Amino acid sequence: MIALGLEGSANKLGIGIIEHNLETGQVNILANVRHTHITPPGTGFLPRDTATHHRTHIIPVIRDALKTSNVKVKDIDVICYTKGPGMGAPLISVAVVARTLALLWNKPIVGVNHCIGHIEMGREITGADNPVVLYVSGGNTQVIAYSEHRYRIFGETLDIAIGNCLDRFARILNLPNDPSPGYNIEQYAKR
């Protein structure tokens, strides 16, 4: 089974193509192409501008992922997209493209929870069987684990997510968000 995945919950637009061998359980990442909405140092990214970025770049990024993976549209079995959580306007922009492709290509479509997508990719890459996860992103900081046949949040921040805190701190220091605020804070701290 080959899945085309579209992610656009914040300033990073990502297109992945993953091959799942249903007999062996083996997963092969065929493409992982990204394009980031970069704003001037000291500024954040606004939902409207981020959505415009995603609409502008999504078709070229999809084409690049198909080329990188050497996968043809006829080979794709399912289209997946980030359903949430995330910034509304960028999520909608990507969802519209996913739905349009599903209709044009006559493929099934699956909405994916952003947090669970990260956890499942982490499990796949690390081989972790039943992890307790500290999930840290721009909008969420949560302790998550699988219990009673579903992922459950066992604790979370009540004020500001750690990723958002780092984003704000980078803006105060006038650091760019290219490649990411956290990376630039780390480089600055090394000096």
Side-chain angles (χ1 to χ4, degrees):
M1 175 178 284
I2 296 178
L4 170 70
L6 294 80
E7 204 294 306
S9 59
N11 67 324
K12 288 179 180 59
L13 172 66
I15 306 299
I17 300 178
I18 299 174
E19 179 182 43
H20 299 263
N21 184 321
L22 300 177
E23 292 175 14
T24 66
Q26 179 74 24
V27 175
N28 188 18
I29 299 171
L30 304 176
N32 183 15
V33 182
R34 287 167 269 167
H35 198 283
T36 302
H37 173 52
I38 305 297
T39 58
T43 64
F45 48 93
L46 300 173
R48 180 184 63 225
D49 298 337
T50 305
T52 299
H53 167 269
H54 290 3
R55 287 191 304 270
T56 301
H57 294 282
I58 195 163
I59 298 302
V61 175
I62 291 170
R63 284 186 180 135
D64 192 13
L66 289 168
K67 183 178 178 183
T68 298
S69 67
N70 200 26
V71 167
K72 307 292 183 225
V73 170
K74 67 179 179 60
D75 301 324
I76 295 170
D77 297 299
V78 63
I79 296 175
C80 306
Y81 70 99
T82 301
K83 196 161 97 171
M87 297 170 64
L91 282 168
I92 290 169
S93 295
V94 173
V96 166
V97 172
R99 288 180 183 121
T100 302
L101 293 178
L103 289 169
L104 285 172
W105 297 345
N106 195 29
K107 307 288 182 183
I109 188 168
V110 175
V112 177
N113 178 287
H114 186 190
C115 303
I116 293 173
H118 278 294
I119 293 169
E120 288 298 319
M121 285 303 297
R123 286 185 60 221
E124 184 59 41
I125 291 167
T126 64
D129 183 35
N130 189 19
V132 174
V133 176
L134 174 60
Y135 178 75
V136 178
S137 73
N140 301 283
T141 300
Q142 302 166 323
V143 176
I144 302 173
Y146 197 77
S147 175
E148 299 175 6
H149 306 291
R150 57 188 290 192
Y151 280 103
R152 298 188 184 270
I153 298 170
F154 289 94
E156 63 186 318
T157 54
L158 297 177
D159 49 7
I160 183 171
I162 292 172
N164 194 349
C165 182
L166 292 173
D167 291 348
R168 289 182 186 186
F169 184 63
R171 285 196 300 271
I172 290 168
L173 294 180
N174 208 33
L175 297 175
N177 71 350
D178 182 20
S180 72
Y183 175 81
N184 292 323
I185 291 168
E186 183 179 351
Q187 300 314 306
Y188 195 79
K190 288 178 182 177
R191 293 188 267 147

